[in-house]
C-alpha cells in the first residue's frame, strides 16, 4: 500500500436504542497520526446494512431532531417486507438509503475541513446489533 494511504477500523458500542454518536474525535486522532500537516481526503465508512454516517451539528438538538425525523419517515412497525430481528427491524435496512454508510471529507494541513458546527456522526437505529465497526481511510 502506498505511504500516502492509511486505514484503520475501530469498534464502537451503540447500545440497544437508536443513536447519533459523534465520532469526530476518533477521526481527528486518526488524522493527527497519519495526515501530519498534509492535504487529502478522509473517508469514513460503516460496513453495516443498518447504519449510516452523517455530517451535522451535535449537542444543540440537531442529532435528536435527525433521529425524530427518521422515526417519522421510517417508523418501526410491521409494514416492512424485511422481517427478521425485532419488530420493525426492516426500517433499519432502509436507513442507509437516507443516511449513506459513508462520507468523504476534505483534510487541509492535517485537519478536518468541517464547518464550525459540523461533526462526524454514526447514525444507528438498529438496537439488535449494538456492536459496530467504523473504517477510517486517509488518502493524501
Amino acid at each position: 500500500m502506498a505511504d500516502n494511504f492509511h486505514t484503520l477500523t475501530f469498534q464502537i458500542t451503540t447500545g440497544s436504542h437508536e443513536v447519533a454518536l459523534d465520532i469526530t474525535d476518533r477521526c481527528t486522532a486518526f488524522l493527527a497520526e497519519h495526515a501530519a500537516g498534509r492535504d487529502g481526503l478522509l473517508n469514513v465508512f460503516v460496513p453495516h446494512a443498518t447504519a449510516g454516517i452523517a455530517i451535522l451539528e451535535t449537542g444543540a438538538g440537531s442529532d435528536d431532531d435527525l433521529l425524530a425525523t427518521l422515526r417519522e419517515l421510517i417508523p418501526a412497525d410491521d409494514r416492512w417486507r424485511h422481517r427478521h430481528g425485532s419488530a420493525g427491524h426492516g426500517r433499519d435496512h432502509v436507513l442507509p438509503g437516507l443516511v449513506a454508510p459513508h462520507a468523504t471529507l476534505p483534510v487541509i494541513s492535517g485537519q478536518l475541513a468541517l464547518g464550525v458546527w459540523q461533526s462526524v456522526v454514526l447514525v444507528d437505529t438498529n438496537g439488535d446489533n449494538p456492536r459496530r465497526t467504523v473504517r477510517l481511510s486517509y488518502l493524501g
Side-chain angles (χ1 to χ4, degrees):
M1 190 66 42
D3 64 350
N4 63 344
F5 179 79
H6 301 276
T7 190
L8 73 76
T9 59
F10 64 89
Q11 304 294 310
I12 193 163
T13 301
T14 57
S16 60
H17 301 289
E18 60 188 21
V19 294
L21 291 175
D22 187 340
I23 59 169
T24 309
D25 58 341
R26 301 293 289 264
C27 297
T28 301
F30 173 73
L31 290 173
E33 183 176 344
H34 297 291
R38 297 182 309 192
D39 296 346
L41 295 171
L42 175 69
N43 182 264
V44 183
F45 175 68
V46 56
H48 298 281
T50 58
I53 300 293
I55 308 301
L56 68 137
E57 181 179 8
T58 61
S62 296
D63 39 355
D64 291 330
D65 289 341
L66 173 63
L67 294 174
T69 300
L70 291 171
R71 279 191 299 274
E72 286 182 38
L73 289 174
I74 49 176
D77 58 22
D78 64 357
R79 74 183 70 197
W80 309 104
R81 291 180 187 96
H82 188 106
R83 295 190 181 269
H84 76 84
S86 61
H89 173 67
R91 85 164 196 147
D92 302 324
H93 287 274
V94 174
L95 173 74
L98 300 174
V99 180
H102 61 89
T104 300
L105 306 167
V107 176
I108 307 298
S109 299
Q111 303 292 314
L112 274 177
L114 293 172
V116 174
W117 304 112
Q118 290 180 315
S119 296
V120 182
V121 177
L122 169 65
V123 180
D124 186 1
T125 59
N126 181 5
D128 292 346
N129 183 7
R131 192 103 168 117
R132 298 302 186 163
T133 300
V134 177
R135 176 174 294 279
L136 303 177
S137 299
Y138 171 73
L139 178 63

